[in-house]
Amino acid sequence: MTIAVDKLSDPAVRRLLGAVNAGDRDAFFAALTEDATMSDDGSARDLADWVDREIFSSHGHIEVQTEKSGGRALVADYRNDTWGEMRTAWRFTVTPDGRVSHFETGQA
């Protein structure tokens, strides 16, 4: 059973993943701090390059299966046109002003 993105516990994560599923790059970056960072399978990545390649140019979509840590740790089925569908884990660091400053993703 999936958890609808608009029902996720953390508002910052909800905004970020809502932007992913809407294909809205501007809203995605608005949900991040200006100096946001990310990692994929434990390796730091260039955020803008990764997001364009793995989400926006390849029609990324996320379906959350479970959430923990107040909605900042997720297991989700993620799919895009490049890799198909895979079970992924996501962790988010959220600043006091309610934006994501870092996220980690990788295979679950």
Side-chain angles (χ1 to χ4, degrees), residues 15-16 18-32 46-53 55-57:
R15 278 192 300 279
L16 191 71
V20 168
N21 286 351
D24 188 337
R25 188 179 192 279
D26 291 339
F28 182 89
F29 280 99
L32 296 172
D46 178 276
L47 181 93
D49 176 66
W50 188 91
V51 165
D52 285 337
R53 187 179 64 252
I55 298 174
F56 297 109
S57 69

Side-chain angles (χ1 to χ4, degrees), residues 8-67:
L8 292 172
S9 299
D10 189 279
V13 173
R14 196 166 50 233
R15 278 192 300 279
L16 191 71
L17 298 188
V20 168
N21 286 351
D24 188 337
R25 188 179 192 279
D26 291 339
F28 182 89
F29 280 99
L32 296 172
T33 61
E34 292 178 14
D35 60 348
T37 58
M38 63 89 50
S39 63
D40 183 1
D41 284 327
S43 298
R45 305 287 184 192
D46 178 276
L47 181 93
D49 176 66
W50 188 91
V51 165
D52 285 337
R53 187 179 64 252
E54 300 291 339
I55 298 174
F56 297 109
S57 69
S58 62
H59 308 105
H61 187 85
I62 192 163
E63 291 186 3
V64 178
Q65 303 300 316
T66 64
E67 68 171 354

Side-chain angles (χ1 to χ4, degrees), residues 38-43 45 50 54 74-80 83-91 104-108:
M38 63 89 50
S39 63
D40 183 1
D41 284 327
S43 298
R45 305 287 184 192
W50 188 91
E54 300 291 339
L74 310 175
V75 172
D77 291 331
Y78 184 78
R79 70 177 181 272
N80 67 25
W83 304 108
E85 186 168 314
M86 65 194 91
R87 182 62 53 107
T88 55
W90 299 76
R91 290 196 158 288
E104 301 170 28
T105 187
Q107 293 199 40

